[in-house]
Amino acid sequence: MKPGTNKLPMPHPKRGYMPRLWSDIWKEWDLYLLLVPGILFILLFKYTPMYGIVIAFKDFNIFTGLADSPWVGWKNFEKLFTSPDFALVFKNTVIISLLKIVILFPLPIIIALMLNEMKNMIFKRSVQTVIYLPHFLSWVIVSGLFIDLLSTNGGLVNKLLVSLNLEPIAFFLDNSVFRSVLITSAGWKETGWSTIVYLAAFSSIDPVLYEAAKIDGSGKWKQLWHITLPGIAPIIILMFILRLGSILEAGTEQILTMYNPVVYKVSDVIGTYVYRQGLGNQDYSFTTAVGLFEAVISFTLVIVGNSLSKKYLQRGIW
């Protein structure tokens, strides 16, 4: 304030978003330049193919091309919702995905908590390495391993059952046990990799909190409940919301390498159904409609999951 005046100086007007953005780009042009390859990749491989969505509303013919194929409106979606095959496929997809969430989602959290309490670093690192290595194997290799392991003709598991005077089990031909094979193999392959995410999240927890808890007389369980779990809660919520977005995926690649017509009744999911109809029967319009339906449901689940998380847990991914 100037002497002799009682007027406050006018605040400097805030700049708009675009001027601030261009100013930041000008100052950090080299960092923004590094974004260009990633942006081009997303535009080329993620956004450009979205034009193909129009196939869902056309009677697409590969010989006449996309532009000349006649429009059919919602006909493919009507076929989708009235198809008895799709009703079974949708049911299988939801059941398998929910089983994986309920059984497999907590496993990496539990394993990470156990590894975090280990004091022997050599043993801890060894276990950590062993459990996440299967992630780097393709599903073709993993399915081959499980087929050999669970085969009725010389498989190790069935040999053990026979030695115990029990009947051998046709794991890949029995509708009542095939889903358990899918859950077990998915857990063996991916649990270790997810564990790494939670182990990394522990590093963000301030060690002073544990020291203060020990001084107050808190045991391991109280520290776990009041410090560790709240400390990794944002990562747990993030992983869960992302998992909701892929609930209709259900592990298509895994099932394609493991299933057979005998167990279609309990294992045919949206992804495998689209594969058979699209490539096998060349019904591209119908399978595009199925894929669009799956994408819309997945997007909706992510939005709803994030909204509920922000409402009740005051945390979200945006």
Side-chain angles (χ1 to χ4, degrees):
M1 186 185 299
K2 293 182 179 180
T5 63
N6 55 3
K7 292 184 178 180
L8 295 173
M10 294 296 292
H12 183 74
K14 293 183 177 179
R15 292 186 300 169
Y17 173 76
M18 290 305 297
R20 284 188 285 113
L21 176 62
W22 285 114
S23 176
D24 291 340
I25 293 176
W26 179 258
K27 291 178 182 178
E28 308 288 350
W29 65 269
D30 50 345
L31 297 179
Y32 280 93
L33 187 62
L34 296 175
L35 286 174
V36 173
I39 292 173
L40 291 177
F41 176 84
I42 292 174
L43 290 175
L44 183 61
F45 294 101
K46 300 297 181 180
Y47 281 91
T48 303
M50 289 177 68
Y51 176 69
I53 289 175
V54 299
I55 295 176
F57 304 94
K58 287 192 167 192
D59 183 11
F60 177 70
N61 189 306
I62 193 172
F63 298 105
T64 58
L66 181 58
D68 296 330
S69 297
W71 291 91
V72 295
W74 297 95
K75 181 179 178 181
N76 291 312
F77 291 93
E78 292 174 0
K79 178 182 176 182
L80 167 66
F81 294 123
T82 57
S83 171
D85 292 337
F86 183 76
L88 177 61
V89 165
F90 185 78
K91 175 185 174 183
N92 288 335
T93 304
V94 173
I95 290 175
I96 292 173
S97 291
L98 289 178
L99 286 173
K100 287 185 175 180
I101 290 176
V102 172
I103 298 173
L104 300 184
F105 185 79
L107 276 182
I109 303 174
I110 296 171
I111 295 174
L113 291 171
M114 294 171 64
L115 289 175
N116 190 53
E117 295 298 324
M118 288 185 179
K119 303 303 180 185
N120 189 326
M121 294 304 297
I122 296 178
F123 182 73
K124 177 180 177 179
R125 298 300 181 192
S126 300
V127 172
Q128 185 176 321
T129 301
V130 169
I131 63 175
Y132 86 75
L133 281 179
H135 169 78
F136 298 99
L137 300 176
S138 71
W139 272 116
V140 176
I141 296 174
V142 173
S143 64
L145 290 174
F146 273 82
I147 289 172
D148 287 340
L149 186 66
L150 303 177
S151 172
T152 54
N153 186 20
L156 181 62
V157 173
N158 277 307
K159 279 185 177 180
L160 180 61
L161 292 175
V162 172
S163 67
L164 297 174
N165 295 323
L166 298 174
E167 290 293 328
I169 301 174
F171 289 95
F172 289 88
L173 299 173
D174 191 337
N175 287 321
S176 63
V177 298
F178 184 71
R179 284 176 181 164
S180 64
V181 175
L182 295 177
I183 306 302
T184 303
S185 57
W188 180 79
K189 185 176 186 295
E190 300 297 344
T191 297
W193 180 255
S194 301
T195 301
I196 304 299
V197 177
Y198 297 108
L199 285 174
F202 291 139
S203 62
S204 65
I205 302 175
D206 191 348
V208 174
L209 297 175
Y210 292 104
E211 297 297 330
K214 290 178 182 178
I215 294 173
D216 290 339
S218 298
K220 288 292 184 181
W221 285 107
K222 287 187 177 181
Q223 293 177 33
L224 170 67
W225 188 255
H226 296 287
I227 299 176
T228 306
L229 288 178
I232 64 172
I235 301 299
I236 295 176
I237 293 171
L238 170 64
M239 298 293 285
F240 184 74
I241 293 175
L242 293 177
R243 183 65 186 86
L244 283 179
S246 59
I247 196 170
L248 294 185
E249 198 274 332
T252 300
E253 184 181 356
Q254 173 198 13
I255 297 173
L256 275 175
T257 57
M258 287 188 169
Y259 82 154
N260 57 79
V262 178
V263 291
Y264 276 179
K265 183 179 178 181
V266 297
S267 63
D268 197 16
V269 296
I270 291 177
T272 58
Y273 183 68
V274 168
Y275 175 81
R276 290 202 323 277
Q277 294 295 323
L279 295 182
N281 298 336
Q282 297 183 352
D283 194 349
Y284 302 112
S285 297
F286 177 66
T287 51
T288 303
V290 176
L292 180 58
F293 169 77
E294 178 185 356
V296 170
I297 295 298
S298 299
F299 178 74
T300 303
L301 287 173
V302 171
I303 298 296
V304 172
N306 188 69
S307 300
L308 293 176
S309 177
K310 292 177 67 175
K311 180 178 180 180
Y312 295 105
L313 302 175
Q314 289 73 50
R315 297 178 185 273
I317 60 177
W318 69 81

